[in-house]
Amino acid sequence: MSQCDQIGALPRAERVTTCREAPATTTRGPSRAGMRPSGPSCVRLTGVSAPSFLHCFTLASAAFNLQVATPGGKTMDFVDVNESNARWVQDFRLKAYASPAKLESIDGARYHALLIPSCPGALADLASSGSLARILQHFRSESKPICAVGHGVAALCCATNEDRSWVFQGYSVTGPSVYELVRAPGFARLSLVVEDFVKDAGACFSASEPDAVHVVLDRHLVTGQNASSTVPAVQNLLFLCGSRK
C-alpha cells in the first residue's frame, strides 16, 4: 500500500504487517447533500500513514515478531511524513524486515494477530482483496485479535461470506466518519464510505468528532476512528493478545 495493513502476530507472537503500495484511485461514493470540504487538513487517498505505521510498528514490535506484507510484495509508500517521523521512516527503509512479503502468500493460520494501520490507499486494493478476505475469514472464525485503524478499517470490508453477508455483521465498529472523509478532494468519487458500508452490512458504527481519539473494542476486534487513535487501538490489541495466553 502505499497503504498498509498489518497482518497477524506469531509467537513471541510473530506478527505480519501487510502494507500495500498501489496508489489509490478514488471512484464514487454516496453523495452527501449540504456538505462542503472544510478545514485546512485534507485526506490523501493513497499510501500508508507514516505516523500511524510508526506507532503500530514500535508498540507491536515490543511484543511480537513482525512480518510486513503487501499486495504483490510492493514497497510501501508513506504519506504524512514530517519532521517528527522522517528520520524514523528513513531508518526503517534500510532494515531487512522492511522488505514486504507478498500478501497473497500469507497463511493466516500461522499468525496470532492482525494489525492494519491507517492507510488511505486501502480503498485501492485492500478493500477488495481476496487474499486479505481469506485471512480475515480465518481470523473471524478463530476469534483471533484484529486491529484496524483509520482508513485501514476499509480493508475489513473485503471479508464476506458466501451469501455476501459481512463477516463482522453485528459487531460494533468505528472508522473515518463522513465528516472526516468529506474534507478529501475526491470524496464524491470514493468507491467506499466505511460508515455507510458498516451500517448497510448490519453492524453498528460510531464516531466521535472529527480527528478525536475514538476506539471501539468488540470481542476480538479493535477499531480506531483515525490515525490519532492508533496508540490506544494498538494498546487494546496488545491487551487482547495478552489475555489469550
Side-chain angles (χ1 to χ4, degrees), residues 196-215:
D196 291 343
F197 177 93
V198 170
K199 292 175 179 177
D200 292 343
C204 179
F205 184 90
S206 68
S208 184
E209 62 186 28
D211 303 321
V213 174
H214 180 62
V215 174

Side-chain angles (χ1 to χ4, degrees), residues 9-180:
L10 294 167
R12 167 157 140 231
E14 197 178 7
R15 159 208 259 112
V16 178
T17 301
T18 50
C19 300
R20 76 192 217 205
E21 204 281 329
T25 55
T26 56
T27 53
R28 202 190 112 183
S31 60
R32 298 276 174 173
M35 291 191 175
R36 297 288 184 274
S38 63
S41 120
C42 283
V43 180
R44 287 186 61 194
L45 298 177
T46 184
V48 183
S49 165
S52 182
F53 183 85
L54 184 159
H55 290 307
C56 284
F57 195 90
T58 53
L59 287 171
S61 61
F64 302 116
N65 295 318
L66 304 184
Q67 168 67 64
V68 178
T70 69
K74 295 178 181 178
T75 303
M76 284 182 287
D77 176 23
F78 289 106
V79 298
D80 300 328
V81 178
N82 54 41
E83 291 182 359
S84 67
N85 58 46
R87 179 59 181 273
W88 187 91
V89 169
Q90 183 180 22
D91 291 344
F92 174 81
R93 291 189 184 280
L94 299 176
K95 305 295 185 182
Y97 50 67
S99 298
K102 291 183 179 180
L103 178 60
E104 297 79 3
S105 67
I106 296 297
D107 178 5
R110 297 183 58 237
Y111 298 93
H112 291 170
L114 167 61
L115 173 58
I116 307 174
S118 185
C119 40
L123 287 171
D125 46 18
L126 294 182
S128 57
S129 169
S131 297
L132 181 58
R134 171 176 47 80
I135 295 165
L136 286 168
Q137 288 162 350
H138 168 75
F139 271 72
R140 168 66 181 86
S141 66
E142 298 294 327
S143 296
K144 291 182 178 181
I146 301 169
C147 177
V149 181
H151 293 289
V153 176
L156 302 179
C157 298
C158 69
T160 56
N161 298 307
E162 291 185 2
D163 61 0
R164 302 188 67 80
S165 63
W166 194 33
V167 299
F168 298 109
Q169 181 178 1
Y171 279 67
S172 294
V173 178
T174 188
S177 68
V178 169
Y179 295 101
E180 290 172 316

